[in-house]
Amino acid sequence: MTNHLMNLRHVPDDEADEIRELFETHNVSYYETPPSRWGVSMGGFWVHDNEEAQRARELLQTYQKERLQRQRDAYEEDLAAGRVGGFWHRLRRKPVTTLAACLAIVVILALTIAPFVTL
């Protein structure tokens, strides 16, 4: 029976490449279907054998924990270095873009609520 291991929708290319390398390193006989351009099919990594699926899921679980920790560490480094931040950080670095986005949000919100509000 076919086993779906992982959905590939919204998966970054570097993560998909690392998973392919992980499977090839551990000789997991998998196949891959790409996600559709319009989001109709999800795509993903698949295996045919149930035992192979269990082994692949264990590898994926370990990989995901390691990747999560690497991404958190990278974010913390960027935060400490001042490369990322919240709203005020973005406002200081890109005031025109941030204010334009806020204005767009207010306009969309006003257009959405206007039919229901009587003045």
Side-chain angles (χ1 to χ4, degrees):
M1 172 146 228
T2 303
N3 294 284
H4 185 245
L5 299 174
M6 180 179 174
N7 183 349
L8 282 179
R9 187 179 297 154
H10 306 298
V11 173
D13 290 337
D14 67 316
E15 183 176 1
D17 291 340
E18 289 175 358
I19 292 170
R20 286 182 201 100
E21 184 180 328
L22 175 74
F23 286 162
E24 290 168 9
T25 301
H26 290 89
N27 297 320
V28 174
S29 59
Y30 73 97
Y31 65 97
E32 178 180 351
T33 56
S36 71
R37 189 170 291 180
W38 296 281
V40 175
S41 66
M42 63 185 166
F45 292 112
W46 305 76
V47 295
H48 286 292
D49 184 23
N50 289 338
E51 292 174 13
E52 189 80 357
Q54 181 62 30
R55 188 170 71 94
R57 284 190 179 103
E58 290 171 3
L59 289 169
L60 272 174
Q61 185 176 15
T62 303
Y63 166 77
Q64 290 293 335
K65 286 180 184 176
E66 292 170 0
R67 181 168 173 91
L68 175 66
Q69 192 58 48
R70 283 196 320 261
Q71 294 298 319
R72 282 185 178 168
D73 292 344
Y75 176 74
E76 291 296 327
E77 288 176 16
D78 288 345
L79 193 59
R83 291 186 291 264
V84 295
F87 176 77
W88 298 112
H89 179 265
R90 182 169 175 83
L91 184 62
R92 282 193 305 270
R93 294 194 57 153
K94 296 183 178 187
V96 175
T97 306
T98 305
L99 291 175
C102 290
L103 180 63
I105 291 168
V106 168
V107 168
I108 292 169
L109 185 61
L111 290 172
T112 305
I113 295 176
F116 304 105
V117 176
T118 57
L119 298 176

